[in-house]
Amino acid sequence: MNAAPRAVRRQRHDPGERPFIVIWESTRACPLACLHCRAEAVPDRDPRELDTAAARDLLRQVAAFGHPAPLFVITGGDPFQRPDLTELIAYGRETGVRVAVSPSGTPTLTEERLRAVHAAGASGLSLSLDGSTAGLHDAFRGVPGVFRWTLDAWDTARALGMKVQINTTVTRHNLHDLPDIVRLVAEHGAMLWSAFFLVPTGRGRRLGVLTPGEVEDVLNFVHDVGLTVPAKTTEAHHFRRVVLQRRVLADRGEDHVAALGLGPLYRELSARTAELGLAAGARRVRRPPLDVNAGRGFVFVSHTGSVHPSGFLPLGAGNVRKRPLTEIYRDAELFTALRDPGRLGGRCGACEFRRVCGGSRSRAYGVTGDPYAEEPWCGYVPGSFPHQRELAALLAGAAPVQPSAPPRTTAAPVQPSAPPRTTAAPVQPSAPPRTTAAPALPLVPLCTTAAPGGKEPHRAQHPR
């Protein structure tokens, strides 16, 4: 078999001591009106935002985690609405903090502004692309012209030598367009393509959910195109399960479609991928996913300084104005609990993948009100993968070293009003859990924030 440790990458440092990435929501001001915006962004800046002095202090707090400091991503809203953006990027570089920027696709993304950000020391740029055409992308972003502005900024940043990450929010509006989006990523070039799976917060509550079967099909599609473009997922932590399953099946020479029960959506996406020629020609080395989750390698700081395990998990653990970020991340009860796989309930708590997956804690909270409940968009039944011996060898190389904690069948609720659950009900009654992976349900007709170099109380890891 291939070297097991490369199936899923561990963080280089103890995730209980320092995060891999810090996302800072620098403002909620943004001229766009995106359908899924967790921040429910507004046109004007909030007077309660961290000012320049407070933002500089936040950068010093990030540096205090030690060398090398976590990656610091300035997002929003639109961070280009802050006049001190380049000053803060330069200060981050002075303090030894790598800074990346995640702007909105607006007319502010001029070559002059991008040159200034690059000159100040930004290590990378992430942009959102939610459709392969102006019609699809602009409809999702709520403003005509965003598609063109995004492509222009993408090409300009690449010409300047900046690392570019492209984030795509996976929803019903673009399910069938995903191969064409990957085509654009391959043509324009990017350090990474991140498929972000919607969490129902902010405006995103009004968008239709996917079934676990459809999610499984898309996760396997993302795995496939990882040989064409560097690919990862955001808020779909069970992608790491899929990667491990696919490794075992490939080593055994077994058909993954049959073994995992993949459905018609997967077949459609695969056929379109082949039609576009994305499955032919030179193949790259697949990028192993990094084991990061809310509060476990990831922390979000809001525009007012409140600290959260994720931008889509609106449970606060303190404020950087009153307590150092290092203390909040390391010692706050919410963070330490989220790093304990023994706290997971339902199928997540009983799952053999719980230490390298853990499910989306943000989505669990958004759907059930309990951040320790099972992942609502996962249909895997624990123990059902047929090759447990081979899987155990991979898990031994991928799982982080943590104090042992027995799996729980009941999740500890955060609030008395959120009762424990033995198992979590599927998001839709018509989508039952699957033994390996149940076929996707019949497709529904089309209706309608992670950070460069790595992977988001209302917004996600960090796509807007």
Side-chain angles (χ1 to χ4, degrees):
M1 294 181 67
N2 297 327
R6 290 294 294 169
V8 174
R9 292 178 296 147
R10 295 182 183 180
Q11 297 177 53
R12 293 184 179 179
H13 303 282
D14 180 357
E17 286 297 310
R18 67 169 72 182
F20 170 74
I21 187 169
V22 178
I23 304 290
W24 175 43
E25 176 193 60
S26 61
T27 182
R28 283 196 172 178
C30 181
L32 302 184
C34 302
L35 295 178
H36 70 303
C37 183
R38 66 93 206 155
E40 299 185 273
V42 294
D44 301 316
R45 294 179 60 192
D46 188 333
R48 300 173 300 163
E49 287 176 7
L50 297 183
D51 60 16
T52 302
R56 289 166 70 99
D57 183 61
L58 173 59
L59 283 162
R60 290 192 293 271
Q61 293 182 39
V62 174
F65 278 108
H67 181 78
L71 175 64
F72 186 76
V73 180
I74 304 178
T75 182
D78 180 13
F80 275 34
Q81 303 300 310
R82 287 190 65 118
D84 59 355
L85 177 60
T86 54
E87 174 186 345
L88 295 175
I89 295 171
Y91 186 72
R93 182 173 60 179
E94 292 174 17
T95 56
V97 176
R98 290 176 302 144
V99 179
V101 183
S102 179
S104 299
T106 72
T108 62
L109 283 175
T110 63
E111 181 176 348
E112 180 182 5
R113 296 292 299 277
L114 290 170
R115 283 187 179 279
V117 164
H118 180 53
S123 64
L125 185 80
S126 73
L127 298 168
S128 294
L129 185 70
D130 302 304
S132 66
T133 66
L136 282 171
H137 183 76
D138 291 358
F140 192 71
R141 294 287 157 176
V143 175
V146 177
F147 180 75
R148 186 70 262 163
W149 296 327
T150 299
L151 292 187
D152 289 346
W154 184 355
D155 291 339
T156 298
R158 291 267 297 165
L160 291 172
M162 299 184 72
K163 297 177 180 179
V164 177
Q165 174 174 314
I166 299 300
N167 304 315
T168 298
T169 302
V170 179
T171 64
R172 291 218 169 274
H173 95 284
N174 65 1
L175 268 183
H176 310 280
D177 191 46
L178 293 175
D180 291 85
I181 292 174
V182 172
R183 174 183 56 81
L184 286 178
V185 175
E187 290 176 354
H188 288 260
M191 177 193 66
L192 190 60
W193 176 59
S194 177
F196 166 67
F197 287 71
L198 187 72
V199 174
T201 61
R203 295 182 191 134
R205 294 188 187 95
R206 298 191 289 268
L207 296 177
V209 299
L210 305 181
T211 68
E214 290 168 334
V215 171
E216 203 76 15
D217 286 351
V218 175
L219 292 179
N220 277 272
F221 162 76
V222 174
H223 179 271
D224 292 347
V225 299
L227 289 175
T228 302
V229 298
K232 68 180 284 288
T233 62
T234 297
E235 291 298 345
H237 306 285
H238 39 318
F239 179 60
R240 297 192 281 273
R241 166 179 59 77
V242 168
V243 168
L244 292 165
Q245 290 174 313
R246 292 288 297 270
R247 170 71 70 84
V248 172
L249 293 172
D251 288 341
R252 292 178 61 89
E254 293 188 21
D255 176 18
H256 65 279
V257 177
L260 300 177
L262 302 182
L265 176 60
Y266 175 76
R267 291 178 172 85
E268 177 187 334
L269 296 175
S270 298
R272 179 58 178 164
T273 300
E275 180 183 339
L276 293 171
L278 297 175
R283 312 296 273 165
R284 62 179 306 279
V285 175
R286 183 176 280 110
R287 178 184 186 273
L290 180 65
D291 180 16
V292 170
N293 207 330
R296 181 162 58 82
F298 189 94
V299 61
F300 177 91
V301 181
S302 81
H303 66 297
T304 61
S306 59
V307 179
H308 309 263
S310 162
F312 270 118
L313 184 51
L315 297 174
N319 194 295
V320 295
R321 299 179 193 266
K322 299 179 179 179
R323 187 183 183 191
L325 182 62
T326 50
E327 291 185 11
I328 297 173
Y329 178 82
R330 292 167 178 165
D331 303 328
E333 182 179 0
L334 175 61
F335 278 76
T336 58
L338 287 170
R339 291 193 286 266
D340 178 6
R343 298 292 298 269
L344 299 175
R347 286 176 292 122
C348 283
C351 187
E352 64 268 36
F353 295 95
R354 65 186 179 277
R355 292 185 182 275
V356 295
C357 171
S360 170
R361 299 301 94 216
S362 302
R363 188 175 298 109
Y365 180 80
V367 173
T368 72
D370 179 358
Y372 307 108
E374 68 183 33
E375 162 66 80
W377 282 15
C378 178
Y380 179 72
V381 175
S384 64
F385 187 65
H387 308 300
Q388 289 291 320
R389 180 179 299 178
E390 294 94 329
L391 179 62
L394 285 179
L395 287 171
V401 178
Q402 300 181 25
S404 60
R408 299 171 12 134
T409 54
T410 302
V414 172
Q415 301 173 345
S417 58
R421 303 160 46 128
T422 301
T423 57
V427 177
Q428 297 180 0
S430 59
R434 11 188 204 182
T435 303
T436 52
L441 296 181
L443 298 179
V444 177
L446 282 174
C447 44
T448 344
T449 81
K455 153 177 186 201
E456 197 172 266
H458 300 23
R459 160 133 134 213
Q461 311 255 332
H462 77 276
R464 272 167 306 283

